[in-house]
């Protein structure tokens, strides 16, 4: 009996890539294998030479369709050389992860997103009052006034669990209609693969509810929190001693590093990293214990224990996790080797 394999990839749309997918019917007993697509329709090739290659890199059960059907996350290759396409950011992460494998780096990524319905965040008034009550009661809130979209969140969580993803938790965020889920801790490539897959499931589940899940960095302008992808990171050395954590955090502020990292942290950071709404200004770099207004936060429990991890609060919700994991792994591990 045949089964369905949903091939999923990241396209070449700028400034924020989109996710694409299509279905392949695979005969029972066969692997999904390499496939192709029209790159001229995804901003990845000209019409005169449009073929691109999909190579499976991560598979899991398809919790939407069920049965024997699977989801297949793919990287994009060039057909003539079978080398990574220029939009394939995973390939460079694989190289960096192998280079610094001895440091046993772990990541946990906190994906914030906003649910939109009929052009406005869920729970926001349609007319009359143009805004809900100011921020305050919504973060981890309970109740019909404080929360909107929980049914979407629960369905997405169920889907991630059924797919076998390492989803660590969910919570309502500071703006009404805004939520978060966490993936990890996992190794650099695994956390990025699974975050992309969890995003796919979020979009797919929201689709069934007639809702759009947005990962815009500043979904609503004004006195409202933006949406980030706070990235928790550690190495073997950091999980053993506080001096290693301090050294890692200092390395992120060395000459040229803040600019390099911001360039990899997603579109629209100037709108989100304003120095308000629990962020440091994008033009500065600082780190501190229990400081959610810092660029990088060291949790108070970590400072007390003398070992653990740190949290980079700068990545946007729309970041490419392959890029985030790559620059963090390279900067931190290289510094620890000095």
């Amino acid at each position: 009996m045949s089964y369905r394999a949903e091939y999923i990839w990241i396209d070449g749309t700028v400034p924020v890539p989109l996710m694409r997918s299509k279905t392949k019917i695979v005969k029972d007993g066969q692997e999904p294998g390499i496939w192709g697509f029209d790159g001229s329709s995804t901003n990845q090739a000209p019409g005169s030479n449009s073929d691109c290659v999909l190579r499976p890199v991560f598979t899991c059960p398809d919790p939407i369709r069920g049965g024997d059907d699977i989801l297949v996350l793919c990287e994009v290759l060039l057909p003539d050389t079978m080398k990574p396409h220029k939009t394939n950011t995973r390939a460079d992460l694989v190289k960096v992860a192998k280079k610094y494998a001895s440091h046993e780096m772990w990541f946990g990524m906190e994906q914030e997103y906003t649910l939109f319905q009929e052009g406005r965040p869920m729970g926001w008034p349609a007319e009359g009052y143009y805004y809900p009550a100011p921020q305050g009661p919504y973060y981890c809130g309970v109740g019909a006034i404080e929360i909107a979209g929980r049914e979407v969140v629960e369905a997405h969580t169920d889907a991630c669990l059924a797919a076998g993803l390492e989803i660590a938790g969910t919570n309502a965020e500071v703006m009404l209609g805004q939520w978060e889920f966490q993936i990890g801790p996992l190794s650099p490539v695994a956390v990025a693969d699974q975050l992309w897959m969890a995003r796919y499931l979020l979009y797919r589940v929201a689709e069934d509810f007639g809702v759009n899940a947005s990962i815009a960095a500043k979904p609503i302008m004004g006195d409202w929190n933006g949406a980030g992808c706070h990235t928790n990171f550690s190495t073997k050395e950091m999980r053993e001693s506080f001096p290693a954590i301090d050294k890692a955090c200092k390395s992120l502020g060395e000459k040229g590093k803040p600019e390099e990292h911001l360039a990899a942290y997603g579109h629209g950071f100037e709108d989100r990293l304003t120095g308000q709404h629990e962020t440091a200004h994008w033009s500065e770099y600082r780190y501190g214990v229990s400081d959610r207004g810092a660029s990088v936060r060291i949790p108070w429990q970590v400072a007390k224990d003398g070992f653990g991890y740190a949290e980079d609060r700068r990545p946007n919700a729309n970041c490419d996790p392959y890029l985030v994991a790559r620059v963090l792994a390279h900067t931190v591990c290289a510094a620890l080797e000095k």
Side-chain angles (χ1 to χ4, degrees):
M1 184 176 178
S2 298
Y3 66 92
R4 287 172 292 190
E6 191 69 15
Y7 279 63
I8 302 161
W9 73 98
I10 298 96
D11 78 357
T13 301
V14 294
V16 180
L18 302 175
M19 299 196 78
R20 308 278 184 147
S21 77
K22 63 176 183 172
T23 306
K24 184 176 185 179
I25 307 301
V26 184
K27 292 183 179 179
D28 190 36
Q30 293 184 357
E31 294 297 318
I34 287 175
W35 205 16
F37 70 96
D38 171 17
S40 69
S41 297
T42 63
N43 301 303
Q44 288 169 299
S48 59
N49 187 19
S50 63
D51 288 330
C52 291
V53 176
L54 295 173
R55 179 163 65 189
V57 294
F58 175 71
T59 62
C60 65
D62 185 340
I64 306 295
R65 290 168 169 157
D68 294 326
D69 295 336
I70 62 173
L71 302 177
V72 185
L73 183 67
C74 301
E75 63 176 351
V76 179
L77 305 178
L78 297 168
D80 50 348
T81 62
M82 296 301 284
K83 291 183 178 180
H85 189 277
K86 64 181 180 180
T87 61
N88 179 350
T89 55
R90 185 183 191 273
D92 284 338
L93 172 58
V94 170
K95 294 177 184 176
V96 170
K98 288 181 178 177
K99 180 178 180 179
Y100 296 113
S102 63
H103 294 276
E104 298 178 16
M105 198 161 193
W106 295 349
F107 288 92
M109 305 189 85
E110 305 174 15
Q111 177 69 67
E112 295 179 350
Y113 60 94
T114 308
L115 296 174
F116 277 82
Q117 194 167 37
E118 298 180 353
R120 62 184 183 278
M122 289 190 74
W124 286 47
E127 56 187 354
Y129 296 104
Y130 293 102
Y131 293 100
Q135 295 182 160
Y138 310 120
Y139 172 70
C140 295
V142 179
I145 295 176
E146 292 80 8
I147 291 302
R150 193 183 296 276
E151 65 277 15
V152 181
V153 175
E154 294 298 323
H156 174 246
T157 304
D158 288 342
C160 288
L161 290 170
L165 303 184
E166 290 294 327
I167 185 168
T170 65
N171 60 270
E173 267 302 334
V174 177
M175 187 180 79
L176 181 62
Q178 193 176 70
W179 292 83
E180 176 187 298
F181 66 87
Q182 305 93 36
I183 294 290
L186 290 164
S187 62
V189 177
V191 75
D193 283 345
Q194 291 205 22
L195 185 60
W196 275 117
M197 190 64 85
R199 283 178 176 177
Y200 168 80
L201 287 173
L202 176 63
Y203 299 145
R204 183 61 186 80
V205 166
E207 180 184 313
D208 286 347
F209 284 89
V211 173
N212 176 52
S214 168
I215 57 172
K218 189 71 173 180
I220 298 294
M221 293 297 178
D223 193 19
W224 303 94
N225 269 35
C229 188
H230 301 156
T231 300
N232 303 286
F233 63 94
S234 70
T235 64
K236 177 177 62 176
E237 298 90 342
M238 293 170 66
R239 294 189 293 272
E240 294 173 352
S241 75
F242 193 84
I245 297 173
D246 192 61
K247 189 173 184 179
C249 292
K250 282 182 179 177
S251 72
L252 296 171
E254 292 178 354
K255 185 177 180 180
K257 287 299 180 181
E259 294 81 6
E260 177 187 352
H261 281 248
L262 286 174
Y265 282 0
H267 175 68
F269 63 80
E270 301 94 339
D271 293 328
R272 175 176 158 261
L273 301 178
T274 62
Q276 302 177 27
H277 306 112
E278 301 180 278
T279 71
H281 194 273
W282 63 268
S283 64
E284 69 169 316
Y285 173 82
R286 61 187 176 88
Y287 68 97
V289 174
S290 197
D291 185 356
R292 281 183 163 78
S295 310
V296 173
R297 177 182 69 97
I298 301 172
W300 70 269
Q301 187 68 53
V302 170
K304 181 180 178 181
D305 292 341
F307 59 87
Y309 67 97
E311 174 197 49
D312 194 331
R313 299 179 58 77
R314 295 170 295 171
N316 286 338
N318 60 25
C319 70
D320 179 344
Y322 293 132
L323 293 179
V324 174
R326 178 180 62 78
V327 294
L328 274 170
H330 176 72
T331 297
V332 169
C333 294
L336 292 176
E337 290 184 353
K338 293 180 181 178

